[in-house]
Amino acid sequence: MEVQFAVSKISKWASRESGDTLEMIERPHGGLSMVLVDGQTSGRSAKAISNVVARKAIQLLAEGVRDGAAARAAHDYLYTFRGGKVSATLNILSVDTRTRTIVIGRNNEAPVLVHTAADGFYLLDSESKAVGVHRHTKPVIAEIPIEVGTIVVAYTDGLRHAGSLSGKGRSYDPYAALQEMVGDGIRDAHAICDRLLAEAMAMDDGRPRDDISVIAIAVQDSRDGDDVRRQSGRLTLQ
């Protein structure tokens, strides 16, 4: 069995700096965690906010703090640091090899998309508040067994709002797009991220109205694979 993970992200059109921050770290007891934060507004000010939240969460995860506690601490830090006047959405996706589960933490109105072999497609969409503003904000935590066929997708709101400001009269639907992809046999994490991002950008006529970031985790059968752990990336400079 092989767990794939991938990220695709792009900045708001004509903005030099993305307000979204992604950090990744190996968990001290096995596995890895990905932290995705979308700071309030966009550009440099949003980046400063998202950096603060992401780094605090990553620091605690690296020390073995559980995902929910790390999210609460990141909220408390931003709330204190900025006096409850700025917000950020926070998603923590962890592949925990000790419990053999994918742990999903949400402080984000945007749902997380899930597909499993047993239950098919569904949304993790219970009420969830961004960090930084309301004093007693808590994350919504879910755990899914690591099993072949499982796909988990999280994203910032630039993805689901794509098209809403471009005069097309409708917003992009990532959930329907994922269903179509899986129906077409597309289950690779990189392919899922790239296609979701490309379709969202097309809705915005190639000029994203907001920062867009997408994370995908996909569990595949790896009977022909090996035991080597691999990670790759690509950064485009303008």
Side-chain angles (χ1 to χ4, degrees):
M1 189 161 53
E2 174 182 274
V3 181
Q4 301 176 349
F5 54 92
V7 179
S8 294
K9 61 197 302 278
I10 193 167
S11 302
K12 178 181 178 180
W13 174 255
S15 177
R16 290 188 174 182
E17 198 159 14
S18 171
D20 296 351
T21 294
L22 172 78
E23 296 283 358
M24 184 184 303
I25 194 164
E26 288 196 54
R27 298 168 69 86
H29 301 297
L32 61 88
S33 291
M34 293 179 287
V35 175
L36 178 62
V37 185
D38 181 2
Q40 184 176 324
T41 69
S42 60
R44 181 170 296 180
S45 61
K47 189 65 171 181
I49 295 166
S50 63
N51 271 335
V52 164
V53 176
R55 288 173 181 172
K56 177 56 68 173
I58 282 291
Q59 173 193 345
L60 295 171
L61 291 168
E63 295 171 356
V65 175
R66 288 180 292 179
D67 295 45
R72 289 191 193 190
H75 159 71
D76 290 343
Y77 187 77
L78 180 62
Y79 181 89
T80 302
F81 180 65
R82 299 300 294 268
K85 296 180 180 179
V86 297
S87 66
T89 64
L90 168 63
N91 285 93
I92 301 177
L93 268 59
S94 296
V95 178
D96 190 330
T97 55
R98 183 175 58 175
T99 63
R100 297 183 71 83
T101 60
I102 299 172
V103 183
I104 302 161
R106 289 176 54 238
N107 283 104
N108 191 344
E109 290 184 0
V112 170
L113 317 180
V114 180
H115 172 271
T116 67
D119 299 319
F121 295 94
Y122 60 94
L123 296 172
L124 297 177
D125 60 354
S126 55
E127 183 179 0
S128 178
K129 295 180 180 179
V131 300
V133 176
H134 304 286
R135 184 67 184 89
H136 298 292
T137 297
K138 300 177 182 178
V140 178
I141 303 292
E143 286 192 66
I144 299 172
I146 298 175
E147 297 175 345
V148 173
T150 297
I151 299 171
V152 178
V153 178
Y155 49 86
T156 56
D157 61 7
L159 186 76
R160 63 177 181 148
H161 292 156
S164 62
L165 300 176
S166 62
K168 298 183 183 295
R170 60 189 178 91
S171 298
Y172 184 55
D173 187 347
Y175 187 49
L178 180 64
Q179 290 176 305
E180 182 178 349
M181 274 186 274
V182 173
D184 291 340
I186 300 173
R187 296 169 181 260
D188 177 83
H190 289 277
I192 289 170
C193 283
D194 285 348
R195 181 159 161 179
L196 288 172
L197 183 62
E199 290 181 353
M201 289 179 62
M203 291 286 290
D204 277 337
D205 300 317
R207 300 182 176 186
R209 270 60 172 182
D210 194 5
D211 305 314
I212 303 175
S213 299
V214 188
I215 297 176
I217 295 174
V219 185
Q220 307 272 13
D221 190 347
S222 63
R223 285 175 293 181
D224 298 327
D226 53 37
D227 294 329
V228 178
R229 299 181 182 183
R230 297 177 176 88
Q231 180 175 333
S232 63
R234 188 179 72 180
L235 176 65
T236 302
L237 301 180
Q238 298 179 350

